[in-house]
Amino acid sequence: MTQASSSTLARLSAASLPVWLVDDEADVRDSLSQWLEVSGLEVRTFSRAGMALNALQNGQPCGVVVSDIKMPEMDGLALFAAVQVLDTPPPVILITGHGDVPMAVAAIQQGAWDFVQKPFDPERLEECVRRALEHRALALENLQLQQALRHNYLSTRLLGDSALMQVLRRQVENLAASRANVVINGETGSGKEVVARALHDFGSGSQGAFVALNCGAMNSELIESELFGHEKGAFTGAGERRIGLLETASHGTLFLDEIESLPLSAQVKLLRALQEGEITRLGSNQVIHLHLRVVAASKENLLEMVSQGDFREDLYYRLAIAELAIPPLRERREDIPLLFRHFCHQAADVHERPLREPTTELLTALGNHRWPGNLRELRNIATRFILGLDLPWQSSPMPPHQASALSVRMEAFEATVLKEALQRHNGNIQAVLDELDLPRRTLNQKMQRHQLRREDFLAT
């Protein structure tokens, strides 16, 4: 079941979820559906198990499945087994003949809700169905709460109301549920480690460790020891055993920042470790098995480095199962006031200073700045503002191309209008053309100039 269909189910109550009856005998379907409908329950019937399974896989709402065991093509036990692999499987109640009771009992041990033996009391079946519906409603309510908490928490971690940040949050929420390796692309100071931690914290490996290594800050001669660990005496200066970061991050997440700086010799060994899922410490023959997710971050285009022979192509494809692009601050200027106030609150708390409200003039200056240091630079400016220190453009005038020139403001306004239109229409180019009354070629040129991609705004 897709994430979208799971979210839809989470918004449904027990009263609105139908009971699905699966039986190849029309008389049985008719009599059971009449009884349950008279009891105030909504019923949907299927003559074949395969039809019911297809409907479930397509995300159609279901409260509980009541299925006969003996049916042609796919029987009730096969249907139960197929239902169990869905993201939000409904309870399954099996209807069984006398000879099938042992199989039904085995199915309950494997997760089936209950079974009813023929000939059965309709009131007994109704009671069983209602209990299953209550259980289903509670499970979906918990799912809805988890989704709301995750969404709200992501909004506080990855701040911004711009279309680009909304797309990024949806991508992070989707990828966090997997264990796929991810490459995060972004400029210096754009928040790559924040995104990596969000992937870890919302993922299935969140109970494991989040281990970070800045590859650009490590001596190339020591980086292999950092990654793989070593035994005492493995080399000169190895006075004691050291557990490597790959081993420490097992069952969790290893974050490799500035992966573009990893030496080619270490790239070969990292690739082998990821392919085989095991390592040996330097100076040891003991094999250590790994189960981890690797999130790598780069400020460089790794594919360009591959073409130049500076990064291994096979390692790139091993790491970049999925890729995330963090927009630079200059491409989401509408988020700057929110982010600046957020950093001001943090600085006021840390330095125990009173909170100051930025003036309109200051916010305008912030909005027109080019922000080569991205969020890191903005946080620095907010701290200086709270401490009452001179800001860079107060002590020295901003360059003309960074001042509040009309051309700069017009470019920022145009980018905002295009982003909002694309967001409003979920990336539907024809709808955007109609709203803005633009020729297709002009829109394409403007989207290219502002680095807007249609796929970033498609509904998920």
Side-chain angles (χ1 to χ4, degrees), residues 128-144:
C128 185
V129 165
R130 289 193 182 279
R131 284 191 289 107
L133 282 173
E134 290 174 1
H135 174 81
R136 174 71 159 162
L138 181 60
L140 294 178
E141 182 181 353
N142 288 337
L143 174 64
Q144 184 178 17

Side-chain angles (χ1 to χ4, degrees), residues 427-435 440 443:
N428 185 322
I429 296 298
Q430 187 58 53
V432 174
L433 291 172
D434 294 341
E435 177 184 332
R440 181 177 290 272
L443 177 62

Side-chain angles (χ1 to χ4, degrees), residues 32 66-69 92-98 100-101 104 108 113-129 131:
L32 284 181
V66 180
S67 175
D68 192 12
I69 287 185
V92 176
I93 299 172
L94 298 170
I95 299 177
T96 174
H98 177 71
D100 299 326
V101 170
I108 289 177
W113 178 258
D114 205 344
F115 75 93
V116 178
Q117 186 177 354
K118 299 177 182 176
F120 53 81
D121 179 357
E123 292 182 353
R124 156 87 170 94
L125 177 62
E126 179 192 343
E127 178 187 356
C128 185
V129 165
R131 284 191 289 107

Side-chain angles (χ1 to χ4, degrees), residues 145-342:
L145 289 173
Q146 291 170 8
Q147 291 172 344
L149 287 172
R150 184 164 57 245
H151 179 76
N152 292 337
Y153 193 35
L154 262 180
S155 297
T156 62
R157 292 276 287 274
L158 304 177
L159 288 173
D161 297 324
S162 62
L164 291 176
M165 286 306 295
Q166 292 182 42
V167 169
L168 179 62
R169 282 196 294 268
R170 288 198 298 269
Q171 292 173 333
V172 169
E173 187 172 4
N174 177 45
L175 285 175
S178 75
R179 293 292 289 163
N181 295 335
V182 180
V183 169
I184 302 173
N185 300 293
E187 296 179 0
T188 298
S190 58
K192 296 186 287 293
E193 184 166 352
V194 175
V195 172
R197 285 187 176 275
L199 286 170
H200 171 77
D201 290 345
F202 299 124
S204 58
S206 60
Q207 300 304 314
F210 178 89
V211 179
L213 172 67
N214 188 321
C215 301
M218 286 297 301
N219 186 311
S220 60
E221 298 177 357
L222 298 177
I223 199 163
E224 289 184 26
S225 175
E226 285 290 324
L227 285 173
F228 301 100
H230 62 254
E231 296 292 339
K232 181 179 180 179
F235 51 84
T236 302
E240 59 183 18
R241 170 188 284 184
R242 181 182 182 87
I243 304 300
L245 298 183
L246 281 163
E247 186 177 348
T248 303
S250 192
H251 300 285
T253 301
L254 176 64
F255 174 55
L256 298 175
D257 198 7
E258 297 188 27
I259 187 71
E260 69 273 12
S261 302
L262 191 66
L264 287 171
S265 59
Q267 290 182 31
V268 174
K269 295 182 179 180
L270 175 61
L271 174 64
R272 185 181 303 117
L274 297 181
Q275 285 177 333
E276 299 176 1
E278 59 186 35
I279 61 167
T280 55
R281 301 191 195 105
L282 301 180
S284 171
N285 294 321
Q286 179 186 358
V287 174
I288 300 167
H289 296 282
L290 303 174
H291 179 71
L292 79 164
R293 172 189 228 176
V294 177
V295 178
S298 176
K299 60 180 182 293
E300 305 293 339
N301 186 317
L302 292 181
L303 277 178
E304 287 185 4
M305 294 184 64
V306 167
S307 65
Q308 296 166 4
D310 296 326
F311 199 85
R312 290 188 62 94
E313 183 178 26
D314 43 10
L315 178 60
Y316 168 78
Y317 287 113
R318 174 66 61 170
L319 294 173
I321 303 300
E323 291 191 73
L324 291 173
I326 303 180
L329 191 54
R330 63 182 174 275
E331 292 182 6
R332 53 183 188 112
R333 297 179 184 275
E334 58 267 48
D335 291 336
I336 289 175
L338 171 67
L339 290 165
F340 185 72
R341 288 187 172 94
H342 171 71

Side-chain angles (χ1 to χ4, degrees), residues 347-359:
D349 289 342
V350 169
H351 299 285
E352 298 182 348
R353 295 293 184 91
L355 187 65
R356 299 175 62 193
E357 179 64 24
T359 64

